[in-house]
Short mmCIF file of all heavy atoms in Angstrom, two decimals:
data_model
loop_
_atom_site.label_atom_id
_atom_site.label_comp_id
_atom_site.label_asym_id
_atom_site.label_seq_id
_atom_site.Cartn_x
_atom_site.Cartn_y
_atom_site.Cartn_z
N MET F 66 -13.25 20.89 -27.08
CA MET F 66 -13.49 19.57 -26.55
C MET F 66 -12.27 18.66 -26.75
O MET F 66 -11.94 17.87 -25.90
CB MET F 66 -14.74 19.00 -27.24
CG MET F 66 -15.17 17.70 -26.68
SD MET F 66 -15.79 17.97 -25.03
CE MET F 66 -16.49 16.42 -24.69
N LYS F 67 -11.62 18.82 -27.91
CA LYS F 67 -10.45 18.01 -28.20
C LYS F 67 -9.31 18.32 -27.23
O LYS F 67 -8.60 17.43 -26.79
CB LYS F 67 -10.02 18.27 -29.64
CG LYS F 67 -8.89 17.41 -30.12
CD LYS F 67 -8.59 17.70 -31.58
CE LYS F 67 -7.45 16.87 -32.08
NZ LYS F 67 -7.12 17.13 -33.47
N THR F 68 -9.15 19.59 -26.88
CA THR F 68 -8.10 20.01 -25.96
C THR F 68 -8.33 19.41 -24.58
O THR F 68 -7.39 18.95 -23.92
CB THR F 68 -8.04 21.54 -25.87
OG1 THR F 68 -7.88 22.07 -27.18
CG2 THR F 68 -6.91 22.00 -24.98
N ILE F 69 -9.57 19.39 -24.12
CA ILE F 69 -9.89 18.83 -22.81
C ILE F 69 -9.58 17.34 -22.79
O ILE F 69 -9.03 16.82 -21.81
CB ILE F 69 -11.37 19.10 -22.46
CG1 ILE F 69 -11.59 20.60 -22.30
CG2 ILE F 69 -11.77 18.36 -21.21
CD1 ILE F 69 -13.04 20.99 -22.15
N ALA F 70 -9.88 16.66 -23.87
CA ALA F 70 -9.59 15.22 -23.94
C ALA F 70 -8.09 14.95 -23.92
O ALA F 70 -7.62 14.02 -23.26
CB ALA F 70 -10.22 14.62 -25.20
N LEU F 71 -7.32 15.78 -24.59
CA LEU F 71 -5.87 15.62 -24.59
C LEU F 71 -5.28 15.88 -23.21
O LEU F 71 -4.39 15.15 -22.76
CB LEU F 71 -5.23 16.54 -25.62
CG LEU F 71 -5.43 16.14 -27.08
CD1 LEU F 71 -4.85 17.20 -28.00
CD2 LEU F 71 -4.81 14.81 -27.36
N TYR F 72 -5.78 16.91 -22.52
CA TYR F 72 -5.30 17.18 -21.17
C TYR F 72 -5.70 16.07 -20.21
O TYR F 72 -4.95 15.73 -19.29
CB TYR F 72 -5.81 18.53 -20.66
CG TYR F 72 -5.13 19.72 -21.29
CD1 TYR F 72 -5.79 20.92 -21.46
CD2 TYR F 72 -3.80 19.66 -21.69
CE1 TYR F 72 -5.18 22.02 -22.01
CE2 TYR F 72 -3.17 20.75 -22.27
CZ TYR F 72 -3.86 21.92 -22.42
OH TYR F 72 -3.24 23.00 -22.98
N GLY F 73 -6.87 15.51 -20.40
CA GLY F 73 -7.30 14.38 -19.58
C GLY F 73 -6.42 13.17 -19.79
O GLY F 73 -6.02 12.50 -18.83
N LEU F 74 -6.10 12.88 -21.03
CA LEU F 74 -5.20 11.76 -21.34
C LEU F 74 -3.82 12.01 -20.77
O LEU F 74 -3.18 11.11 -20.23
CB LEU F 74 -5.13 11.55 -22.85
CG LEU F 74 -4.27 10.40 -23.34
CD1 LEU F 74 -4.82 9.07 -22.84
CD2 LEU F 74 -4.21 10.40 -24.85
N GLN F 75 -3.35 13.24 -20.85
CA GLN F 75 -2.05 13.60 -20.29
C GLN F 75 -2.05 13.38 -18.78
O GLN F 75 -1.07 12.87 -18.22
CB GLN F 75 -1.76 15.06 -20.62
CG GLN F 75 -0.45 15.58 -20.10
CD GLN F 75 -0.21 17.02 -20.52
OE1 GLN F 75 -0.66 17.45 -21.58
NE2 GLN F 75 0.50 17.77 -19.71
N ALA F 76 -3.12 13.74 -18.11
CA ALA F 76 -3.21 13.56 -16.66
C ALA F 76 -3.24 12.08 -16.29
O ALA F 76 -2.60 11.66 -15.32
CB ALA F 76 -4.44 14.26 -16.11
N ILE F 77 -3.92 11.27 -17.07
CA ILE F 77 -3.97 9.82 -16.81
C ILE F 77 -2.58 9.21 -16.98
O ILE F 77 -2.15 8.41 -16.15
CB ILE F 77 -5.01 9.14 -17.73
CG1 ILE F 77 -6.41 9.55 -17.31
CG2 ILE F 77 -4.86 7.63 -17.69
CD1 ILE F 77 -7.49 9.13 -18.27
N VAL F 78 -1.88 9.59 -18.02
CA VAL F 78 -0.52 9.08 -18.23
C VAL F 78 0.39 9.55 -17.09
O VAL F 78 1.25 8.80 -16.61
CB VAL F 78 0.03 9.53 -19.60
CG1 VAL F 78 1.50 9.21 -19.74
CG2 VAL F 78 -0.76 8.86 -20.71
N GLY F 79 0.18 10.77 -16.61
CA GLY F 79 0.95 11.28 -15.48
C GLY F 79 0.71 10.46 -14.22
O GLY F 79 1.66 10.14 -13.49
N LEU F 80 -0.53 10.09 -13.97
CA LEU F 80 -0.83 9.27 -12.79
C LEU F 80 -0.23 7.88 -12.91
O LEU F 80 0.28 7.32 -11.92
CB LEU F 80 -2.35 9.19 -12.59
CG LEU F 80 -3.02 10.47 -12.14
CD1 LEU F 80 -4.54 10.31 -12.13
CD2 LEU F 80 -2.52 10.91 -10.77
N VAL F 81 -0.27 7.31 -14.10
CA VAL F 81 0.35 6.00 -14.32
C VAL F 81 1.86 6.08 -14.11
O VAL F 81 2.48 5.20 -13.51
CB VAL F 81 0.00 5.46 -15.72
CG1 VAL F 81 0.81 4.24 -16.06
CG2 VAL F 81 -1.49 5.14 -15.80
N ALA F 82 2.47 7.16 -14.57
CA ALA F 82 3.91 7.35 -14.39
C ALA F 82 4.26 7.50 -12.91
O ALA F 82 5.27 6.95 -12.45
CB ALA F 82 4.39 8.56 -15.17
N LEU F 83 3.42 8.20 -12.17
CA LEU F 83 3.65 8.32 -10.74
C LEU F 83 3.57 6.96 -10.05
O LEU F 83 4.40 6.64 -9.19
CB LEU F 83 2.62 9.28 -10.11
CG LEU F 83 2.84 10.76 -10.34
CD1 LEU F 83 1.65 11.56 -9.82
CD2 LEU F 83 4.10 11.22 -9.68
N ALA F 84 2.59 6.16 -10.42
CA ALA F 84 2.45 4.83 -9.82
C ALA F 84 3.64 3.94 -10.17
O ALA F 84 4.16 3.22 -9.31
CB ALA F 84 1.15 4.19 -10.28
N ALA F 85 4.08 3.98 -11.41
CA ALA F 85 5.22 3.15 -11.82
C ALA F 85 6.51 3.62 -11.14
O ALA F 85 7.33 2.80 -10.73
CB ALA F 85 5.37 3.20 -13.34
N GLY F 86 6.68 4.93 -11.01
CA GLY F 86 7.86 5.45 -10.33
C GLY F 86 7.87 5.06 -8.86
O GLY F 86 8.92 4.70 -8.31
N TYR F 87 6.71 5.11 -8.23
CA TYR F 87 6.61 4.69 -6.83
C TYR F 87 6.95 3.21 -6.68
O TYR F 87 7.65 2.81 -5.75
CB TYR F 87 5.20 4.97 -6.30
CG TYR F 87 4.98 4.48 -4.90
CD1 TYR F 87 5.50 5.18 -3.82
CD2 TYR F 87 4.25 3.32 -4.66
CE1 TYR F 87 5.31 4.73 -2.53
CE2 TYR F 87 4.06 2.86 -3.37
CZ TYR F 87 4.59 3.57 -2.31
OH TYR F 87 4.40 3.10 -1.03
N ALA F 88 6.47 2.40 -7.62
CA ALA F 88 6.76 0.97 -7.57
C ALA F 88 8.25 0.70 -7.73
O ALA F 88 8.81 -0.19 -7.10
CB ALA F 88 5.97 0.24 -8.65
N LYS F 89 8.90 1.49 -8.56
CA LYS F 89 10.35 1.32 -8.74
C LYS F 89 11.11 1.75 -7.50
O LYS F 89 12.06 1.11 -7.10
CB LYS F 89 10.83 2.10 -9.96
CG LYS F 89 10.46 1.45 -11.26
CD LYS F 89 10.93 2.26 -12.44
CE LYS F 89 10.45 1.58 -13.71
NZ LYS F 89 10.57 2.43 -14.87
N LEU F 90 10.70 2.85 -6.89
CA LEU F 90 11.41 3.35 -5.72
C LEU F 90 11.24 2.43 -4.51
O LEU F 90 12.15 2.32 -3.70
CB LEU F 90 10.94 4.76 -5.36
CG LEU F 90 11.44 5.87 -6.26
CD1 LEU F 90 10.87 7.21 -5.80
CD2 LEU F 90 12.94 5.93 -6.27
N THR F 91 10.11 1.79 -4.40
CA THR F 91 9.89 0.89 -3.27
C THR F 91 10.46 -0.50 -3.54
O THR F 91 10.47 -1.33 -2.65
CB THR F 91 8.39 0.78 -2.93
OG1 THR F 91 7.67 0.34 -4.07
CG2 THR F 91 7.86 2.11 -2.43
N GLY F 92 10.93 -0.75 -4.76
CA GLY F 92 11.56 -2.02 -5.08
C GLY F 92 10.60 -3.18 -5.20
O GLY F 92 10.94 -4.31 -4.86
N MET F 93 9.40 -2.92 -5.68
CA MET F 93 8.43 -4.01 -5.85
C MET F 93 8.99 -5.02 -6.83
O MET F 93 9.64 -4.67 -7.82
CB MET F 93 7.10 -3.46 -6.33
CG MET F 93 6.39 -2.65 -5.31
SD MET F 93 4.76 -2.18 -5.90
CE MET F 93 4.17 -1.28 -4.49
N GLY F 94 8.72 -6.28 -6.58
CA GLY F 94 9.31 -7.38 -7.34
C GLY F 94 9.09 -7.30 -8.84
O GLY F 94 10.01 -7.54 -9.62
N PHE F 95 7.87 -6.97 -9.25
CA PHE F 95 7.59 -6.94 -10.68
C PHE F 95 8.32 -5.82 -11.40
O PHE F 95 8.44 -5.85 -12.63
CB PHE F 95 6.07 -6.88 -10.95
CG PHE F 95 5.43 -5.59 -10.50
CD1 PHE F 95 5.27 -4.55 -11.39
CD2 PHE F 95 4.96 -5.45 -9.21
CE1 PHE F 95 4.67 -3.37 -10.99
CE2 PHE F 95 4.35 -4.28 -8.80
CZ PHE F 95 4.21 -3.24 -9.69
N MET F 96 8.83 -4.83 -10.66
CA MET F 96 9.63 -3.78 -11.28
C MET F 96 11.12 -4.06 -11.14
O MET F 96 11.91 -3.74 -12.03
CB MET F 96 9.33 -2.42 -10.64
CG MET F 96 8.02 -1.83 -11.05
SD MET F 96 8.09 -1.33 -12.77
CE MET F 96 6.60 -0.40 -12.90
N ALA F 97 11.54 -4.65 -10.03
CA ALA F 97 12.96 -4.87 -9.76
C ALA F 97 13.53 -6.06 -10.53
O ALA F 97 14.70 -6.02 -10.95
CB ALA F 97 13.19 -5.06 -8.27
N GLU F 98 12.74 -7.09 -10.74
CA GLU F 98 13.24 -8.30 -11.41
C GLU F 98 13.72 -8.06 -12.83
O GLU F 98 14.79 -8.54 -13.20
CB GLU F 98 12.17 -9.39 -11.37
CG GLU F 98 11.97 -9.98 -9.99
CD GLU F 98 10.80 -10.95 -9.95
OE1 GLU F 98 10.26 -11.29 -11.03
OE2 GLU F 98 10.43 -11.34 -8.83
N PRO F 99 12.98 -7.33 -13.66
CA PRO F 99 13.50 -7.10 -15.02
C PRO F 99 14.82 -6.33 -15.03
O PRO F 99 15.69 -6.61 -15.86
CB PRO F 99 12.39 -6.29 -15.70
CG PRO F 99 11.16 -6.61 -14.95
CD PRO F 99 11.60 -6.84 -13.54
N PHE F 100 14.99 -5.39 -14.11
CA PHE F 100 16.24 -4.63 -14.05
C PHE F 100 17.39 -5.55 -13.63
O PHE F 100 18.50 -5.43 -14.14
CB PHE F 100 16.11 -3.46 -13.08
CG PHE F 100 15.38 -2.27 -13.66
CD1 PHE F 100 14.01 -2.18 -13.61
CD2 PHE F 100 16.08 -1.25 -14.26
CE1 PHE F 100 13.34 -1.11 -14.14
CE2 PHE F 100 15.42 -0.15 -14.81
CZ PHE F 100 14.05 -0.08 -14.75
N ALA F 101 17.12 -6.44 -12.69
CA ALA F 101 18.15 -7.39 -12.25
C ALA F 101 18.48 -8.38 -13.36
O ALA F 101 19.65 -8.77 -13.52
CB ALA F 101 17.69 -8.12 -11.01
N THR F 102 17.50 -8.76 -14.14
CA THR F 102 17.71 -9.73 -15.22
C THR F 102 18.64 -9.17 -16.30
O THR F 102 19.51 -9.89 -16.80
CB THR F 102 16.36 -10.12 -15.87
OG1 THR F 102 15.52 -10.67 -14.85
CG2 THR F 102 16.55 -11.13 -16.97
N ILE F 103 18.49 -7.90 -16.63
CA ILE F 103 19.33 -7.33 -17.68
C ILE F 103 20.62 -6.74 -17.13
O ILE F 103 21.40 -6.17 -17.88
CB ILE F 103 18.56 -6.26 -18.51
CG1 ILE F 103 18.05 -5.13 -17.62
CG2 ILE F 103 17.43 -6.88 -19.27
CD1 ILE F 103 17.36 -4.01 -18.40
N GLY F 104 20.84 -6.89 -15.83
CA GLY F 104 22.12 -6.50 -15.25
C GLY F 104 22.19 -5.08 -14.71
O GLY F 104 23.27 -4.60 -14.39
N LEU F 105 21.07 -4.41 -14.62
CA LEU F 105 21.05 -3.06 -14.06
C LEU F 105 20.72 -3.17 -12.58
O LEU F 105 19.79 -3.85 -12.18
CB LEU F 105 20.02 -2.19 -14.77
CG LEU F 105 20.27 -1.97 -16.26
CD1 LEU F 105 19.11 -1.24 -16.88
CD2 LEU F 105 21.55 -1.21 -16.48
N GLY F 106 21.48 -2.51 -11.75
CA GLY F 106 21.33 -2.66 -10.32
C GLY F 106 20.28 -1.75 -9.71
O GLY F 106 19.49 -1.09 -10.40
N GLN F 107 20.31 -1.71 -8.39
CA GLN F 107 19.36 -0.91 -7.62
C GLN F 107 19.54 0.58 -7.88
O GLN F 107 18.57 1.33 -7.85
CB GLN F 107 19.54 -1.23 -6.12
CG GLN F 107 18.56 -0.52 -5.21
CD GLN F 107 17.13 -0.98 -5.40
OE1 GLN F 107 16.89 -2.11 -5.79
NE2 GLN F 107 16.19 -0.09 -5.15
N ALA F 108 20.75 1.01 -8.16
CA ALA F 108 21.00 2.43 -8.41
C ALA F 108 20.24 2.90 -9.65
O ALA F 108 19.61 3.97 -9.64
CB ALA F 108 22.48 2.70 -8.57
N PHE F 109 20.29 2.12 -10.72
CA PHE F 109 19.57 2.52 -11.94
C PHE F 109 18.07 2.46 -11.72
O PHE F 109 17.33 3.29 -12.25
CB PHE F 109 19.97 1.63 -13.11
CG PHE F 109 19.46 2.14 -14.43
CD1 PHE F 109 20.11 3.17 -15.07
CD2 PHE F 109 18.31 1.62 -15.00
CE1 PHE F 109 19.63 3.67 -16.28
CE2 PHE F 109 17.82 2.10 -16.19
CZ PHE F 109 18.49 3.14 -16.84
N LEU F 110 17.62 1.51 -10.92
CA LEU F 110 16.19 1.41 -10.61
C LEU F 110 15.73 2.66 -9.86
O LEU F 110 14.66 3.21 -10.14
CB LEU F 110 15.93 0.16 -9.77
CG LEU F 110 14.49 -0.19 -9.45
CD1 LEU F 110 13.75 -0.58 -10.72
CD2 LEU F 110 14.44 -1.32 -8.45
N THR F 111 16.54 3.15 -8.94
CA THR F 111 16.22 4.35 -8.20
C THR F 111 16.21 5.58 -9.10
O THR F 111 15.30 6.42 -9.02
CB THR F 111 17.21 4.56 -7.04
OG1 THR F 111 17.19 3.39 -6.21
CG2 THR F 111 16.87 5.77 -6.22
N VAL F 112 17.21 5.70 -9.96
CA VAL F 112 17.27 6.84 -10.88
C VAL F 112 16.06 6.83 -11.82
O VAL F 112 15.43 7.88 -12.06
CB VAL F 112 18.59 6.82 -11.68
CG1 VAL F 112 18.56 7.83 -12.81
CG2 VAL F 112 19.76 7.10 -10.76
N ALA F 113 15.72 5.67 -12.34
CA ALA F 113 14.56 5.56 -13.24
C ALA F 113 13.27 5.90 -12.49
O ALA F 113 12.38 6.55 -13.04
CB ALA F 113 14.49 4.16 -13.84
N GLY F 114 13.16 5.47 -11.24
CA GLY F 114 11.96 5.77 -10.45
C GLY F 114 11.81 7.26 -10.19
O GLY F 114 10.71 7.81 -10.31
N VAL F 115 12.90 7.91 -9.82
CA VAL F 115 12.85 9.35 -9.57
C VAL F 115 12.51 10.11 -10.86
O VAL F 115 11.68 11.03 -10.85
CB VAL F 115 14.19 9.84 -8.98
CG1 VAL F 115 14.27 11.35 -8.97
CG2 VAL F 115 14.38 9.30 -7.58
N ALA F 116 13.13 9.71 -11.96
CA ALA F 116 12.83 10.37 -13.24
C ALA F 116 11.38 10.16 -13.65
O ALA F 116 10.73 11.08 -14.17
CB ALA F 116 13.77 9.85 -14.32
N GLN F 117 10.85 8.97 -13.39
CA GLN F 117 9.48 8.69 -13.76
C GLN F 117 8.50 9.48 -12.88
O GLN F 117 7.47 9.96 -13.38
CB GLN F 117 9.20 7.20 -13.66
CG GLN F 117 8.13 6.75 -14.59
CD GLN F 117 8.23 5.27 -14.89
OE1 GLN F 117 8.94 4.53 -14.21
NE2 GLN F 117 7.53 4.83 -15.89
N ILE F 118 8.80 9.64 -11.62
CA ILE F 118 7.95 10.46 -10.76
C ILE F 118 8.00 11.92 -11.19
O ILE F 118 6.98 12.60 -11.24
CB ILE F 118 8.34 10.29 -9.27
CG1 ILE F 118 7.88 8.91 -8.79
CG2 ILE F 118 7.76 11.39 -8.41
CD1 ILE F 118 8.25 8.58 -7.38
N LEU F 119 9.18 12.41 -11.52
CA LEU F 119 9.32 13.78 -12.01
C LEU F 119 8.52 13.98 -13.30
O LEU F 119 7.81 14.98 -13.46
CB LEU F 119 10.79 14.12 -12.24
CG LEU F 119 11.10 15.52 -12.73
CD1 LEU F 119 10.66 16.56 -11.70
CD2 LEU F 119 12.57 15.64 -13.02
N ALA F 120 8.60 13.02 -14.20
CA ALA F 120 7.84 13.10 -15.45
C ALA F 120 6.35 13.06 -15.18
O ALA F 120 5.58 13.80 -15.80
CB ALA F 120 8.24 11.96 -16.38
N GLY F 121 5.92 12.21 -14.25
CA GLY F 121 4.51 12.14 -13.91
C GLY F 121 3.99 13.44 -13.34
O GLY F 121 2.89 13.89 -13.68
N LEU F 122 4.79 14.09 -12.49
CA LEU F 122 4.38 15.38 -11.94
C LEU F 122 4.30 16.44 -13.04
O LEU F 122 3.39 17.27 -13.03
CB LEU F 122 5.35 15.81 -10.85
CG LEU F 122 5.28 15.02 -9.55
CD1 LEU F 122 6.40 15.45 -8.61
CD2 LEU F 122 3.93 15.19 -8.89
N CYS F 123 5.23 16.41 -13.96
CA CYS F 123 5.19 17.37 -15.07
C CYS F 123 3.97 17.14 -15.96
O CYS F 123 3.36 18.09 -16.45
CB CYS F 123 6.46 17.26 -15.91
SG CYS F 123 7.91 17.96 -15.13
N LEU F 124 3.61 15.88 -16.14
CA LEU F 124 2.46 15.58 -17.01
C LEU F 124 1.12 15.97 -16.37
O LEU F 124 0.13 16.12 -17.08
CB LEU F 124 2.45 14.10 -17.38
CG LEU F 124 3.50 13.68 -18.40
CD1 LEU F 124 3.56 12.16 -18.50
CD2 LEU F 124 3.22 14.29 -19.75
N LEU F 125 1.10 16.13 -15.06
CA LEU F 125 -0.15 16.52 -14.41
C LEU F 125 -0.51 17.98 -14.66
O LEU F 125 -1.65 18.38 -14.48
CB LEU F 125 -0.07 16.26 -12.91
CG LEU F 125 -0.08 14.79 -12.50
CD1 LEU F 125 0.04 14.68 -10.99
CD2 LEU F 125 -1.32 14.09 -12.99
N PHE F 126 0.47 18.77 -15.07
CA PHE F 126 0.22 20.19 -15.34
C PHE F 126 0.35 20.44 -16.84
O PHE F 126 1.38 20.10 -17.45
CB PHE F 126 1.23 21.05 -14.57
CG PHE F 126 1.14 20.84 -13.08
CD1 PHE F 126 2.07 20.06 -12.42
CD2 PHE F 126 0.11 21.41 -12.37
CE1 PHE F 126 1.99 19.85 -11.06
CE2 PHE F 126 0.02 21.21 -11.00
CZ PHE F 126 0.95 20.43 -10.35
N PRO F 127 -0.66 21.04 -17.46
CA PRO F 127 -0.65 21.20 -18.92
C PRO F 127 0.55 21.97 -19.47
O PRO F 127 1.07 21.61 -20.52
CB PRO F 127 -1.95 21.97 -19.19
CG PRO F 127 -2.83 21.66 -18.04
CD PRO F 127 -1.92 21.48 -16.87
N ARG F 128 1.03 22.98 -18.78
CA ARG F 128 2.12 23.78 -19.32
C ARG F 128 3.46 23.06 -19.32
O ARG F 128 4.35 23.40 -20.08
CB ARG F 128 2.26 25.09 -18.54
CG ARG F 128 1.12 26.02 -18.81
CD ARG F 128 1.32 27.32 -18.09
NE ARG F 128 0.21 28.20 -18.35
CZ ARG F 128 0.32 29.35 -18.97
NH1 ARG F 128 1.49 29.77 -19.37
NH2 ARG F 128 -0.73 30.09 -19.18
N SER F 129 3.62 22.09 -18.45
CA SER F 129 4.89 21.37 -18.38
C SER F 129 4.79 19.98 -18.99
O SER F 129 5.67 19.14 -18.79
CB SER F 129 5.37 21.28 -16.93
OG SER F 129 4.44 20.54 -16.17
N GLY F 130 3.75 19.74 -19.76
CA GLY F 130 3.53 18.43 -20.35
C GLY F 130 4.62 18.01 -21.32
O GLY F 130 5.00 16.83 -21.37
N VAL F 131 5.16 18.94 -22.07
CA VAL F 131 6.21 18.62 -23.03
C VAL F 131 7.47 18.16 -22.30
O VAL F 131 8.12 17.18 -22.70
CB VAL F 131 6.51 19.83 -23.95
CG1 VAL F 131 7.71 19.56 -24.83
CG2 VAL F 131 5.30 20.17 -24.79
N ILE F 132 7.80 18.82 -21.21
CA ILE F 132 8.97 18.43 -20.42
C ILE F 132 8.77 17.02 -19.86
O ILE F 132 9.67 16.19 -19.91
CB ILE F 132 9.22 19.45 -19.29
CG1 ILE F 132 9.56 20.81 -19.88
CG2 ILE F 132 10.33 18.97 -18.36
CD1 ILE F 132 9.56 21.93 -18.88
N GLY F 133 7.58 16.75 -19.34
CA GLY F 133 7.28 15.43 -18.82
C GLY F 133 7.36 14.36 -19.89
O GLY F 133 7.86 13.25 -19.65
N ALA F 134 6.88 14.67 -21.10
CA ALA F 134 6.94 13.70 -22.19
C ALA F 134 8.38 13.41 -22.60
O ALA F 134 8.74 12.26 -22.89
CB ALA F 134 6.14 14.23 -23.39
N VAL F 135 9.22 14.43 -22.59
CA VAL F 135 10.63 14.23 -22.94
C VAL F 135 11.32 13.37 -21.88
O VAL F 135 12.09 12.45 -22.21
CB VAL F 135 11.35 15.59 -23.11
CG1 VAL F 135 12.86 15.42 -23.19
CG2 VAL F 135 10.83 16.31 -24.34
N ILE F 136 11.03 13.63 -20.61
CA ILE F 136 11.62 12.81 -19.54
C ILE F 136 11.15 11.37 -19.64
O ILE F 136 11.94 10.43 -19.49
CB ILE F 136 11.31 13.42 -18.16
CG1 ILE F 136 11.96 14.79 -18.01
CG2 ILE F 136 11.77 12.49 -17.04
CD1 ILE F 136 11.53 15.55 -16.78
N MET F 137 9.85 11.18 -19.90
CA MET F 137 9.32 9.81 -20.04
C MET F 137 9.98 9.09 -21.21
O MET F 137 10.33 7.91 -21.11
CB MET F 137 7.80 9.84 -20.25
CG MET F 137 7.01 10.11 -19.02
SD MET F 137 7.09 8.79 -17.83
CE MET F 137 6.16 7.55 -18.68
N ALA F 138 10.15 9.78 -22.33
CA ALA F 138 10.79 9.16 -23.48
C ALA F 138 12.24 8.80 -23.17
O ALA F 138 12.72 7.74 -23.57
CB ALA F 138 10.73 10.10 -24.68
N THR F 139 12.92 9.66 -22.42
CA THR F 139 14.30 9.38 -22.05
C THR F 139 14.40 8.16 -21.15
O THR F 139 15.28 7.31 -21.33
CB THR F 139 14.91 10.61 -21.31
OG1 THR F 139 14.79 11.74 -22.17
CG2 THR F 139 16.34 10.37 -20.95
N VAL F 140 13.48 8.03 -20.21
CA VAL F 140 13.46 6.85 -19.32
C VAL F 140 13.19 5.59 -20.13
O VAL F 140 13.86 4.56 -19.95
CB VAL F 140 12.41 7.03 -18.20
CG1 VAL F 140 12.21 5.74 -17.44
CG2 VAL F 140 12.83 8.13 -17.26
N ARG F 141 12.25 5.66 -21.05
CA ARG F 141 11.92 4.47 -21.86
C ARG F 141 13.09 4.05 -22.74
O ARG F 141 13.43 2.87 -22.80
CB ARG F 141 10.70 4.76 -22.75
CG ARG F 141 9.45 5.06 -22.02
CD ARG F 141 8.90 3.84 -21.36
NE ARG F 141 7.70 4.21 -20.64
CZ ARG F 141 7.23 3.55 -19.61
NH1 ARG F 141 7.84 2.49 -19.19
NH2 ARG F 141 6.16 3.95 -18.99
N VAL F 142 13.69 5.00 -23.41
CA VAL F 142 14.83 4.67 -24.29
C VAL F 142 16.01 4.18 -23.46
O VAL F 142 16.70 3.23 -23.85
CB VAL F 142 15.21 5.90 -25.17
CG1 VAL F 142 16.51 5.68 -25.88
CG2 VAL F 142 14.08 6.19 -26.15
N GLY F 143 16.26 4.81 -22.33
CA GLY F 143 17.36 4.39 -21.47
C GLY F 143 17.17 2.99 -20.93
O GLY F 143 18.13 2.21 -20.82
N THR F 144 15.96 2.62 -20.62
CA THR F 144 15.67 1.28 -20.11
C THR F 144 15.77 0.24 -21.23
O THR F 144 16.28 -0.86 -21.00
CB THR F 144 14.27 1.23 -19.49
OG1 THR F 144 14.20 2.22 -18.46
CG2 THR F 144 13.99 -0.11 -18.88
N MET F 145 15.32 0.60 -22.42
CA MET F 145 15.39 -0.35 -23.54
C MET F 145 16.80 -0.52 -24.07
O MET F 145 17.16 -1.57 -24.54
CB MET F 145 14.47 0.11 -24.68
CG MET F 145 13.01 -0.03 -24.38
SD MET F 145 11.93 0.32 -25.78
CE MET F 145 12.53 1.85 -26.40
N GLY F 146 17.58 0.57 -23.99
CA GLY F 146 18.92 0.57 -24.56
C GLY F 146 19.84 -0.35 -23.83
O GLY F 146 20.67 -1.02 -24.33
#
């Protein structure tokens, strides 16, 4: 039962990552403004969006969840850094 709950949580995080990546790729204001404020341009927004979509797809499949988590962590650290 615990394993099913973890896979379910992983899938939910994957769907959220897909939605956030899509928002970044389409240049929605609430995603683009923070990048512009800290001086990162459209190119970094596109790279972050693609990486986030890739991570979301990896998180949807249990066997590639670790890869997706590493990509998500890299995007988060890269954006904060």
Side-chain angles (χ1 to χ4, degrees):
M66 186 69 170
K67 185 177 179 181
T68 305
I69 294 172
L71 288 176
Y72 286 150
L74 182 63
Q75 180 177 330
I77 290 171
V78 171
L80 290 174
V81 170
L83 284 173
Y87 176 76
K89 285 179 183 166
L90 285 179
T91 58
M93 291 185 179
F95 67 93
M96 286 291 191
E98 288 173 10
F100 281 87
T102 301
I103 58 177
L105 298 173
Q107 183 67 29
F109 190 79
L110 186 67
T111 303
V112 169
V115 169
Q117 208 157 14
I118 287 177
L119 180 63
L122 289 173
C123 286
L124 286 170
L125 289 178
F126 300 102
R128 290 183 181 243
S129 62
V131 173
I132 296 168
V135 168
I136 295 171
M137 284 292 291
T139 303
V140 170
R141 298 288 179 205
V142 170
T144 304
M145 289 187 311

